[in-house]
Amino acid sequence: MWIMNFFSWQAIDVIRWENPESYLLVKKWDRPFDEIKNDATLIVEPGQAAIFVHNWKIEAIQTEPWKWSLETENVPFITAFKNILRGGESTDKWAVFFVKTTEILNQKWGTRNPIKYMDPNYKFPVKLRAFGNFSFKISNLEKFWLGYIGTRNEVTVDEIADIIVDRLLQYITDVFAESSLSYTDIDANRVELATKIKEKLNENLWDLWLEITDFRIEDTNFTEETEELIMKISSKAADAQAINQMWNVSATAMWNYATTRQLDAMEKAAENEWTAGSMMGTMIGMNVGQTMWAGIVWWVNQQQDSVEAKLEKIKNLFDKGLISKEDYEAKKKQILDSM
């Protein structure tokens, strides 16, 4: 026991934050000032700053990494420190805080509740979740200490990250809504969305003197409700595409296809044992199929004839000088675009 007491009474010859804990952003140096030797050394490691406080007022900030002797150095931090030590005041009025000045990297974020906004193209409410990471650093040491540290002995990385995430969720919905992106375009524009969210955050973290140095959206996914709406939209879009494709199919090709289908049915029936019932069913099916395809061919022909008639009509008007070339070209494009 006497050995432990002996070492506890030894004067302090080094002031430093050695092996800083990864979970801490700020730590108050917790050794008694009245044990500091006159020739002690202040060590500020790379990526750190030291803040000297007297009566809860900042006397000096040292951001340059180096070793300074209290006995010989005359930089502002050391000068202020020595002046206080020589004044004989109560040591409970002094404090040294060490602060990390490097970027705090790869902090995770995610939306606790789905983001909601109106799809600008399909006019339905989109609900999605988003996830990613961000990095930050302290942008102004003095103002950060005044606004957040104060009388606290330490500040953790997690508590600052939580504040940033809470503010992030206030703005992310606005950014998605203002982007006017349909649900089909979100993944292709993650970088653009992330940049806008980063800018919005930096505009609104001034009171804590923090800066978001990097912001990323790693993934998005839709709620089940939104997935169901997307499936319905996709199905209707596929139907519309199929109808549009029929404009490009000639009547002859459609008739040949119908005939081929009928021959396939007859060949399949021939491979099986013919009965009156099966033959009747095959013939009925062939007749129904022929009638159906004939109807489709008629419809396509009617549409094609209608387009051709319109084009011939405006061509005749142009040839007779009844409409200008500009009007003719514009009307022709309108008719062709409607196909």
Side-chain angles (χ1 to χ4, degrees):
M1 179 65 69
W2 69 269
I3 296 178
M4 294 180 61
N5 289 335
F6 172 80
F7 281 107
S8 65
W9 294 332
Q10 297 304 298
I12 298 169
D13 57 4
V14 176
I15 304 168
R16 71 187 303 186
W17 186 11
E18 189 175 11
N19 299 321
E21 298 87 341
S22 60
Y23 66 90
L24 286 181
L25 183 64
V26 179
K27 184 173 184 178
K28 180 181 178 181
W29 191 68
D30 56 3
R31 297 295 300 275
F33 276 67
D34 52 7
E35 295 180 6
I36 297 175
K37 294 170 61 176
N38 290 332
D39 60 350
T41 301
L42 169 70
I43 299 177
V44 178
E45 305 282 357
Q48 295 180 6
I51 302 176
F52 180 44
V53 178
H54 175 232
N55 283 329
W56 303 113
K57 176 184 175 182
I58 294 177
E59 294 289 340
I61 298 177
Q62 184 60 49
T63 57
E64 182 182 354
W66 197 249
K67 297 180 180 180
W68 289 271
S69 169
L70 299 188
E71 187 175 25
T72 60
E73 299 287 352
N74 60 2
V75 296
F77 187 100
I78 299 300
T79 300
F81 200 90
K82 289 191 291 187
N83 288 341
I84 298 300
L85 288 176
R86 292 166 181 168
E89 296 184 59
S90 172
T91 57
D92 59 6
K93 296 180 180 181
W94 316 335
V96 174
F97 291 87
F98 287 95
V99 184
K100 291 179 181 176
T101 58
T102 54
E103 288 184 72
I104 308 300
L105 304 175
N106 198 32
Q107 300 300 298
K108 301 298 183 181
W109 68 268
T111 53
R112 298 186 182 93
N113 298 306
I115 303 164
K116 301 176 185 179
Y117 75 98
M118 187 64 66
D119 189 287
N121 293 344
Y122 298 98
K123 308 303 180 185
F124 75 96
V126 176
K127 297 180 182 179
L128 62 83
R129 302 178 185 88
F131 310 89
N133 64 73
F134 64 91
S135 302
F136 72 93
K137 67 178 182 179
I138 299 171
S139 60
N140 187 302
L141 289 169
E142 180 177 0
K143 292 180 178 179
F144 179 75
W145 186 89
L146 293 171
Y148 195 82
I149 302 175
T151 60
R152 306 177 63 176
N153 291 334
E154 62 182 34
V155 177
T156 67
V157 170
D158 283 349
E159 65 184 279
I160 298 300
D162 287 344
I163 292 174
I164 294 173
V165 171
D166 286 342
R167 298 197 180 189
L168 157 69
L169 299 179
Q170 297 175 27
Y171 309 119
I172 190 169
T173 301
D174 293 339
V175 170
F176 271 76
E178 292 168 1
S179 67
S180 297
L181 291 173
S182 178
Y183 76 92
T184 57
D185 301 321
I186 290 175
D187 284 345
N189 290 274
R190 284 186 194 170
V191 174
E192 177 186 348
L193 289 168
T195 300
K196 291 180 179 179
I197 293 169
K198 175 185 171 183
E199 292 172 354
K200 183 84 71 173
L201 275 172
N202 279 329
E203 289 172 3
N204 292 277
L205 287 173
W206 62 269
D207 58 322
L208 290 179
W209 301 100
L210 298 171
E211 178 187 353
I212 304 299
T213 56
D214 185 53
F215 186 89
R216 299 171 188 264
I217 300 175
E218 295 179 331
D219 189 25
T220 59
N221 58 65
F222 300 106
T223 62
E224 292 183 4
E225 180 182 356
T226 300
E227 289 281 7
E228 291 176 1
L229 289 172
I230 291 173
M231 289 296 293
K232 291 179 181 178
I233 291 172
S234 299
S235 177
K236 293 182 183 297
D239 291 343
Q241 182 67 18
I243 292 172
N244 288 334
Q245 288 297 322
M246 295 183 70
W247 288 97
N248 301 320
V249 180
S250 68
T252 302
M254 294 185 70
W255 184 266
N256 290 340
Y257 177 75
T259 303
T260 301
R261 295 289 294 170
Q262 292 174 11
L263 292 173
D264 288 344
M266 292 177 65
E267 184 179 350
K268 183 176 181 180
E271 293 175 355
N272 299 316
E273 183 179 354
W274 281 81
T275 64
S278 64
M279 184 178 294
M280 180 70 71
T282 300
M283 295 304 295
I284 291 173
M286 291 170 60
N287 288 334
V288 170
Q290 186 173 11
T291 301
M292 179 189 70
W293 285 106
I296 294 174
V297 170
W298 176 86
W299 178 82
V300 172
N301 281 331
Q302 287 293 109
Q303 300 301 320
Q304 291 175 339
D305 290 344
S306 176
V307 172
E308 290 174 4
K310 290 178 180 178
L311 291 172
E312 289 177 0
K313 183 177 179 180
I314 64 169
K315 183 64 167 63
N316 288 334
L317 293 174
F318 173 65
D319 291 341
K320 293 176 181 179
L322 299 177
I323 60 175
S324 66
K325 183 177 181 181
E326 289 78 10
D327 290 337
Y328 168 68
E329 294 294 340
K331 192 65 177 177
K332 182 174 71 171
K333 183 177 185 304
Q334 180 182 350
I335 294 171
L336 294 175
D337 288 344
S338 68
M339 293 181 64

